Amino acid sequence: MLRPVEPYAVYIMGNAHGTTFYIGITGNLHQRIWQHKTGHYGGFTHKYNCHHLLYFETYTDVKQAIAREKNLKNWRRDWKINLVKQKNPELRDLAAGWYAKN
């Protein structure tokens, strides 16, 4: 039996202070956020402690998702903050509670 294809997601990760942002795209948001939170791949989000999921949008078409990611990466910082605050005014970690505590 084939597993259903998950929608693509464009997401914004940030640090606890909301001063540093990372924009990415994934076909499995739950797994990718876990990788960011655990530092699985190292890189930017690990180095700058961007472990909070602040915003995401889902798409069924990968080309649309890629175009949106590229568009957001070219936005000014204040535009990104305003976008996040429209849906997440308190800059909460939207993935808080997604994973069982060990």
Side-chain angles (χ1 to χ4, degrees), residues 18-84:
T19 56
T20 305
F21 300 106
Y22 172 85
I23 298 173
I25 181 175
T26 184
N28 185 332
L29 185 62
H30 191 265
Q31 178 182 354
R32 187 66 180 119
I33 299 309
W34 174 254
Q35 291 167 341
H36 284 302
K37 287 182 171 290
T38 61
H40 184 74
Y41 291 116
F44 184 90
T45 57
H46 180 69
K47 181 177 180 180
Y48 293 100
N49 296 311
C50 294
H51 300 248
H52 293 81
L53 175 62
L54 300 177
Y55 180 86
F56 66 93
E57 304 171 357
T58 59
Y59 295 85
T60 56
D61 181 353
V62 69
K63 290 179 182 178
Q64 288 179 337
I66 291 169
R68 179 63 167 164
E69 177 200 26
K70 288 180 180 181
N71 179 266
L72 289 176
K73 285 184 174 185
N74 287 320
W75 278 23
R76 292 176 21 177
R77 176 181 174 71
D78 58 325
W79 296 353
K80 293 173 193 174
I81 292 169
N82 289 335
L83 175 68
V84 169

